[in-house]
Amino acid sequence: MTCTSLANADVSDYEMIEATRAVLGLVSGRWSIDVLYLLASGTRRYSELFYEVGEISKKTLTQTLRSLQRDGLVARRAYADVPVRVEYSLTPLGWSLTGPLMSLYEWAAAELDGVSALRGSVSMPPPEGHT
Amino acid sequence: MTCTSLANADVSDYEMIEATRAVLGLVSGRWSIDVLYLLASGTRRYSELFYEVGEISKKTLTQTLRSLQRDGLVARRAYADVPVRVEYSLTPLGWSLTGPLMSLYEWAAAELDGVSALRGSVSMPPPEGHT
DNA sequence: CGGTATCCAGCCCGATACTG
DNA sequence: CAGTATCGGGCTGGATACCG
């Protein structure tokens, strides 16, 4: 079976593939992770996200936000103030996803040791020559 | 800090974002997960993967394999037999990644319960609550 | 401030055909 | 069997300008 690291060996490969890929799809956007992590540290206004993410365009930030919103990971709240104010935050579902996401980070930190190998492009020192 | 769900609150947001995105990058190919899960259940020949993955093209399968290979997740082994034979398998690093990947699947199974909420890609026929 | 509209570039992926 | 070569299409994301 596939899952030696877990107990539920009764689910099909196909089901795991589909589901895993679907989850990956939720955060596959170029900036999804950035937005998720930023919102994990607190509610933000649109312009705060725009500034803090860095090089993102407004169009793409909006797209990213809408996508996360549609998937139920992020909540949008608009206030009728006169310079308009909109705040984004993580939903409970969004929060729950930070766990699995952290396990990916943990893996990187443990296996790739400091992530230095990941910056730019991943170049692993070959544990043994592959022919 | 950001990580209320974990203990290591001493790493920067930036570092987590970079690392998490890097890991995501390793498996971001359309077929990476399929290949990884398939290889997780045992070594396969090229043609076996080609058949088992389903709708993938040879070019894309090769690309996916090369990418996973470059990242150190998959090992390639060629035999000089006369109908050429090539076998692919997971490296220890590849194996170690199946854990974090499973936690993504677990999340989907727990939070999305049937994956129906996952846009378009996953078409679950009739929801006959299995628990 | 918080977006849209429009145009455009790059990348990933597929189909088909050919090769050692 | 296990690829490579070539052409092409769709989708994501960027730049800029404009709007309530």
Side-chain angles (χ1 to χ4, degrees), chain A:
Chain A
M1 293 303 179
T2 67
C3 29
T4 53
S5 47
L6 284 175
N8 50 337
D10 55 347
V11 288
S12 69
D13 283 7
Y14 182 71
E15 208 174 304
M16 286 193 289
I17 290 172
E18 285 294 300
T20 305
R21 223 163 53 186
V23 177
L24 253 18
L26 298 180
V27 296
S28 63
R30 169 69 182 78
W31 302 103
S32 303
I33 295 297
D34 301 62
V35 170
L36 249 20
Y37 271 114
L38 247 19
L39 292 183
S41 66
T43 294
R44 308 286 167 100
R45 299 180 55 165
Y46 182 88
S47 51
E48 292 176 321
L49 287 171
F50 186 65
Y51 172 73
E52 290 182 88
V53 168
E55 315 165 295
I56 197 171
S57 70
K58 287 204 275 184
K59 175 195 162 192
T60 303
L61 177 56
T62 301
Q63 270 179 183
T64 302
L65 254 6
R66 292 281 185 275
S67 171
L68 295 172
Q69 211 185 320
R70 267 194 305 279
D71 295 334
L73 304 177
V74 161
R76 193 190 111 118
R77 193 143 172 217
Y79 301 84
D81 297 1
V82 167
V84 190
R85 204 184 62 184
V86 178
E87 288 182 348
Y88 291 92
S89 57
L90 250 41
T91 62
L93 187 66
W95 274 105
S96 72
L97 185 54
T98 64
L101 249 24
M102 281 305 295
S103 79
L104 290 184
Y105 167 71
E106 298 265 293
W107 179 82
E111 298 296 329
L112 276 8
D113 190 37
V115 201
S116 53
L118 289 170
R119 306 211 181 230
S121 59
V122 184
S123 50
M124 295 295 297
E128 57 184 82
H130 44 275
T131 46

Side-chain angles (χ1 to χ4, degrees), chain B residues 29-31 55-57 59-60 84:
Chain B
R30 170 69 182 77
W31 302 104
E55 316 164 296
I56 197 172
S57 71
K59 176 194 163 193
T60 303
V84 189

Side-chain angles (χ1 to χ4, degrees), chain B residues 35-89:
Chain B
V35 170
L36 249 19
Y37 271 112
L38 246 17
L39 291 183
S41 66
T43 293
R44 306 287 165 100
R45 300 182 55 167
Y46 182 87
S47 52
E48 292 177 320
L49 287 171
F50 186 65
Y51 172 73
E52 290 182 88
V53 169
E55 316 164 296
I56 197 172
S57 71
K58 288 203 270 184
K59 176 194 163 193
T60 303
L61 177 56
T62 301
Q63 269 179 184
T64 302
L65 254 7
R66 293 282 185 274
S67 171
L68 294 172
Q69 211 185 320
R70 267 193 306 277
D71 295 335
L73 304 176
V74 160
R76 193 191 110 117
R77 194 142 173 213
Y79 300 85
D81 298 0
V82 165
V84 189
R85 204 184 58 180
V86 178
E87 288 182 349
Y88 291 92
S89 58

